Amino acid sequence: MRLFLVDAFTDRPFSGNPAGVVLLDEPADDAWMQHVAAELKHSETAFVVTTEEPKPLRWFTPTTEVDLCGHATLATAHVLGGEQVFSTRSGALRCTAENGRVAMEFPADPPKPAEVDVSAGLPGLTPEHVARGVSDVLVVVADAGLVRGAEPDLDALATVAARCVIVTARGDEPGIDFVSRVFGPAVGVPEDPVTGSAHCTLAPYWAERLGRAELVGEQASERGGIVRTALLGERVRLSGSAVTVAEGELLV
């Protein structure tokens, strides 16, 4: 079984979001995949069966399986090359090459206003708007500086009934439409460096407010990364670059 380590949503090694990619000849045992993901300790590890079409694709954090992961999908498509169609728990996902980047189409997850108390988990921040998608809670604050400087209480955030809590604001640099950070302590990911699936919620939210379907988001984590988004009705196209930093073989 081939193993690749890939930095996604970046064109430079040691930035963006690292993901493990495991190429399988046949479906693997769930417990084994969870052990591998825990061993690798990346926010997500992707497991793809390369001998079937569409290719079955699953994603595991160090502690649990998730329904959708953008950066590990991008990493998988980057490793396999060319156009790919994956069969996943979130339906069929298509990836294509686009101007040197990988483009992916995911289901849009527009957030709806919700009463969620995040005050204990985000001390010092006063939300302008709180909403909820299928998986995540979206917290909108006044400016990008607050997003960049946020110091969350991860233990408190872990009690929020959501996969992740997304903190976002309008962009503060040329060419950046919005910024975000994503915290997922409830699923074993204190802060995710760059989160493709979170942009399924960010893209429809900001497209409506900014009046444009195509936007550029910066995820302002320590590693940082850029996600290009396009709202296509009930789908979102996400695109970004990726860099392979290591490859080898799993021995167990």
Side-chain angles (χ1 to χ4, degrees), residues 214-226:
E214 296 190 11
L215 302 170
V216 178
E218 176 194 356
Q219 195 155 327
S221 64
E222 182 177 352
R223 291 175 64 100
I226 300 296

Side-chain angles (χ1 to χ4, degrees), residues 13-130:
F14 314 122
S15 60
N17 200 352
V21 178
V22 179
L23 306 186
L24 303 171
D25 292 332
E26 60 185 18
D29 176 73
D30 289 11
W32 177 84
M33 289 188 286
Q34 187 63 75
H35 283 311
V36 171
E39 185 81 5
L40 292 178
K41 295 182 173 62
H42 292 310
S43 57
E44 267 92 12
T45 297
F47 298 84
V48 60
V49 180
T50 61
T51 55
E52 300 181 22
E53 291 295 343
K55 297 178 177 67
L57 174 63
R58 296 171 70 179
W59 312 276
F60 288 78
T61 78
T63 62
T64 191
E65 184 174 9
V66 296
D67 292 335
L68 185 65
C69 178
H71 85 277
T73 302
L74 188 156
T76 305
H78 169 76
V79 167
L80 295 175
E83 182 169 324
Q84 302 293 330
V85 181
F86 300 115
S87 172
T88 80
R89 284 167 50 160
S90 292
L93 301 179
R94 182 178 298 276
C95 299
T96 57
E98 180 185 85
N99 299 322
R101 299 185 290 268
V102 173
M104 309 170 286
E105 286 193 15
F106 286 174
D109 185 14
K112 297 179 181 179
E115 294 184 4
V116 182
D117 185 2
V118 295
S119 58
L122 297 171
L125 293 185
T126 301
E128 291 191 333
H129 180 68
V130 178

Side-chain angles (χ1 to χ4, degrees), residues 164-247:
C164 294
V165 175
I166 308 166
V167 183
T168 187
R170 288 179 184 245
D172 58 350
E173 297 178 359
I176 300 297
D177 296 299
F178 60 89
V179 300
S180 67
R181 290 172 66 190
V182 177
F183 306 103
V187 292
V189 183
E191 179 171 4
D192 200 29
V194 193
T195 315
S197 58
H199 286 75
C200 295
T201 296
L202 287 160
Y205 176 84
W206 285 112
E208 180 179 352
R209 276 139 192 87
L210 300 178
R212 288 184 287 117
E214 296 190 11
L215 302 170
V216 178
E218 176 194 356
Q219 195 155 327
S221 64
E222 182 177 352
R223 291 175 64 100
I226 300 296
V227 183
R228 291 166 173 82
T229 71
L231 187 61
L232 308 171
E234 296 183 351
R235 308 284 288 178
V236 174
R237 186 176 72 241
L238 308 177
S239 62
S241 301
V243 180
T244 300
V245 297
E247 61 178 284

Side-chain angles (χ1 to χ4, degrees), residues 122-147:
L122 297 171
L125 293 185
T126 301
E128 291 191 333
H129 180 68
V130 178
R132 180 186 288 277
V134 172
S135 301
D136 302 326
V137 168
L138 183 73
V139 179
V140 184
V141 297
D143 63 70
L146 295 173
V147 177

